[in-house]
Amino acid sequence: MKNETLAPFPKNFFWGASSSAYQVEGANLEDGKGPSCQDVKEVPAGTSDLTVCADFYHHYKEDIALMAEMGFKSYRFSIAWTRILPEGTGEINQKGIDFYNNVIDECLKYGIEPIVTMFHFDMPAALDKRGSWSNPESVEWFVNFASILFQSFGDRVKYWLTINEQNMLTLVGPVIGTMCIPEGTENVLKEIYQQNHHMLVAQAKAMVLCHEMLPEAKIGPAPNISLVYPASCKPEDVIAAQNFNAVRNWLYLDMAVNGVYNNLVWAWLGKYDAQPTFAEGDKEAMKNAHPDFIGFNYYNTATVAEEDGSVAFNPVGGDQQNSDGLAGMYKTVRNENLGKTEFGWEIDPVGFRATIREMYSRYRLPMLVTENGLGAYDTLTEDGKVHDSYRIHYLQDHIHQLQEAITDGCEMMGYNPWSAIDLISTHEGMRKRYGFIYVDRDEFDLKTMKRYKKDSFEWYKKVIATNGADLSE
Ligand code: BG6
């Protein structure tokens, strides 16, 4: 469909940006916070640990003021479970509640809508010791945490996201440092999808609870959705693309929205005796949950071909955007039509439009972009500038395609790219920067921690001021 003119962005569109607690806050064991799996994991060689990050914990006022200066309408951030419940269950840490009260109030002071992710890759270490998501009790742990969040912040937080990128926790947990498989597990695939099942049930129950406790609030999932292309029009490649779409994308949204397991994934798990076990009431719980919107992270598409027997059986290989393939299901191939970031992720703005169109026609719910962005090496010049025109170009192209999708009839609530401010990457350290705000620190040298406005900061300010009408540099 060629759009001669583009529909304007909706009024009250949530222009903003995102971050997550464990990647931005620092102060990882301060004021009573307990350790999460991120604090106890072995970080990849040559990358920073997560003790200081951007030190948002001590700089939040200054950082939110900068977001307000950009004109943010929303700020999507996560709440660290272990700041609220250091052990994951039990005693509440009042200082943790105070911190997020302050962050929320600071956002509201500037008219910035807080969009809160309840869980972003940071399982309490104490709960990892009790089996993490493998333990059926994890459903109640999460629902208990959710009820504390709704109780404490629900008077001011109207938009909630359940679990960030549950699909990546399941598909590439080891690279993000989140996978906890109990020792002696024989059927690892089954264990992974049992964990996934517990998360799905926990999410469903949290959505129902949110609607009960906070009738005015809206809640949705936040998976990482990348449309999967077939490498060619060869029918076997199309089947492979359907396989990966099911395993990577639709499993999560079919369940969150319709309360059913995707049939292709269910059949695939059956081959390995890996279908999850349902506890009593799970089926009903999943069916009862109804998200108000779909939050999703988009970085690029994927392209796959028929699996020719060359792919090893490894259900957790690769990273969020580069899959190692799946034996018997698909083989990952390079899409020669696309460029790549400096960190090897393909760049596909048109795929953003295609992904949105596909999702909207499948689920018919309003959608909120909760991440999108370019990880790059940025350089601070001697006069305190960061000339990140590459980031501006990336964002321009994606926002343009977002507008195309809106013109195509897709209902979009907002755009919250990754990230508001520089923070630590999941597995590539501080050097892989995404922010509009530069933080003066290196991988290991904390330097001044001063904040600087990148060129993209001024550009995004203009984009927001014109409600997306002026994307020019
Ligand atoms: C998403 C995560 O996968 O992508 C974020 O939700 C993450 O936590 C972002 O930081 C970018 O990934 P990376 O690996 O470049 O940090």
Side-chain angles (χ1 to χ4, degrees):
M1 189 149 86
K2 279 223 186 295
N3 294 320
E4 272 76 41
T5 51
L6 294 181
F9 283 93
K11 269 192 199 146
N12 306 322
F13 191 70
F14 285 142
W15 293 105
S18 288
S19 69
S20 87
Y22 89 90
Q23 293 172 279
V24 78
E25 285 176 5
N28 71 328
L29 297 178
E30 213 172 303
D31 286 342
K33 181 181 172 295
S36 79
C37 61
Q38 298 295 342
D39 301 313
V40 297
K41 77 179 184 188
E42 198 179 315
V43 297
T47 68
S48 166
D49 64 21
L50 296 137
T51 54
V52 178
C53 302
D55 200 23
F56 177 81
Y57 191 77
H58 296 110
H59 290 252
Y60 71 92
K61 283 194 181 197
E62 175 188 355
D63 294 343
I64 294 171
L66 284 165
M67 295 178 207
E69 190 184 327
M70 267 187 278
F72 276 24
K73 310 289 181 216
S74 56
Y75 173 36
R76 178 221 174 199
F77 59 91
S78 76
I79 291 189
W81 189 335
T82 51
R83 230 180 253 298
I84 306 293
L85 294 164
E87 298 287 313
T89 57
E91 287 277 297
I92 294 180
N93 175 34
Q94 187 54 43
K95 286 194 172 159
I97 302 272
D98 295 345
F99 172 65
Y100 292 110
N101 271 331
N102 292 340
V103 168
I104 291 163
D105 291 345
E106 202 65 19
C107 288
L108 293 174
K109 181 171 119 187
Y110 295 106
I112 297 174
E113 190 75 48
I115 299 176
V116 170
T117 314
M118 297 156 67
F119 180 76
H120 194 125
F121 298 165
D122 54 355
M123 189 59 147
L127 297 184
D128 259 359
K129 287 200 190 118
R130 293 165 65 186
S132 188
W133 292 108
S134 284
N135 187 334
E137 285 176 34
S138 57
V139 174
E140 291 320 313
W141 300 337
F142 184 73
V143 175
N144 171 55
F145 172 53
S147 77
I148 295 168
L149 297 187
F150 299 149
Q151 180 71 41
S152 310
F153 310 118
D155 56 333
R156 286 152 296 148
V157 174
K158 306 292 175 214
Y159 293 88
W160 297 90
L161 297 158
T162 53
I163 299 179
N164 179 69
E165 296 196 353
Q166 189 186 322
N167 49 346
M168 295 306 125
L169 290 168
T170 303
L171 291 167
V172 295
V175 83
I176 326 174
T178 53
M179 189 146 289
C180 171
I181 299 290
E183 244 172 75
T185 299
E186 277 177 16
N187 188 338
V188 172
L189 190 67
K190 178 165 169 81
E191 199 55 45
I192 291 171
Y193 280 86
Q194 190 64 50
Q195 294 193 349
N196 186 56
H197 179 82
H198 293 147
M199 283 189 255
L200 291 170
V201 179
Q203 163 171 272
K205 290 192 172 180
M207 291 200 284
V208 169
L209 185 69
C210 179
H211 290 139
E212 277 168 15
M213 290 179 68
L214 309 170
E216 302 292 306
K218 295 189 185 306
I219 188 162
N224 173 323
I225 303 295
S226 295
L227 194 63
V228 182
Y229 302 144
S232 76
C233 55
K234 195 173 139 200
E236 287 79 3
D237 289 349
V238 175
I239 297 289
Q242 289 179 333
N243 290 342
F244 193 28
N245 265 313
V247 169
R248 188 193 194 290
N249 300 318
W250 312 142
L251 164 62
Y252 300 89
L253 291 176
D254 286 358
M255 184 52 85
V257 180
N258 300 325
V260 291
Y261 264 101
N262 179 281
N263 58 294
L264 297 182
V265 177
W266 195 255
W268 167 65
L269 292 175
K271 286 190 195 145
Y272 299 93
D273 194 20
Q275 288 163 339
T277 306
F278 277 58
E280 211 186 311
D282 283 0
K283 202 169 169 198
E284 295 68 35
M286 287 160 148
K287 267 281 174 202
N288 287 343
H290 302 288
D292 302 287
F293 64 92
I294 294 174
F296 73 101
N297 302 345
Y298 172 86
Y299 287 89
N300 56 41
T301 49
T303 306
V304 300
E306 180 187 14
E307 208 280 280
D308 51 10
S310 61
V311 177
F313 182 79
N314 176 13
V316 289
D319 71 13
Q320 303 102 301
Q321 302 307 140
N322 283 323
S323 167
D324 281 357
L326 209 49
M329 291 287 269
Y330 65 88
K331 184 168 96 178
T332 309
V333 299
R334 165 97 175 93
N335 186 335
E336 298 299 339
N337 302 296
L338 305 176
K340 278 189 180 184
T341 73
E342 289 172 318
F343 288 84
W345 287 3
E346 287 174 348
I347 302 175
D348 187 4
V350 177
F352 190 28
R353 178 184 179 191
T355 301
I356 294 170
R357 286 160 60 122
E358 187 67 22
M359 256 196 294
Y360 193 65
S361 64
R362 285 180 71 100
Y363 303 108
R364 287 306 183 105
L365 281 176
M367 291 180 291
L368 178 69
V369 181
T370 43
E371 287 182 33
N372 171 234
L374 179 73
Y377 295 99
D378 289 339
T379 311
L380 184 68
T381 61
E382 279 189 1
D383 57 347
K385 308 268 186 238
V386 178
H387 299 304
D388 58 343
S389 54
Y390 39 88
R391 181 167 294 105
I392 295 175
H393 298 154
Y394 178 100
L395 296 170
Q396 272 174 332
D397 292 347
H398 284 79
I399 294 173
H400 175 76
Q401 292 301 326
L402 177 58
Q403 199 174 2
E404 292 276 2
I406 291 171
T407 311
D408 296 336
C410 304
E411 208 179 333
M412 298 302 302
M413 297 162 59
Y415 181 67
N416 292 269
W418 191 258
S419 49
I421 182 167
D422 288 344
L423 38 70
I424 310 276
S425 145
T426 56
H427 60 289
E428 294 182 280
M430 189 67 204
R431 61 180 173 266
K432 188 182 191 185
R433 293 174 187 263
Y434 284 89
F436 293 105
I437 302 164
Y438 184 91
V439 178
D440 182 32
R441 63 158 286 184
D442 286 345
E443 209 60 60
F444 301 107
D445 180 353
L446 295 180
K447 296 172 106 179
T448 66
M449 296 299 284
K450 256 184 80 177
R451 277 54 177 153
Y452 292 88
K453 300 172 199 171
K454 300 184 190 176
D455 288 356
S456 57
F457 179 107
E458 300 297 349
W459 169 81
Y460 197 40
K461 183 175 171 180
K462 185 183 62 182
V463 171
I464 297 175
T466 61
N467 195 26
D470 185 357
L471 300 183
S472 65
E473 200 171 345

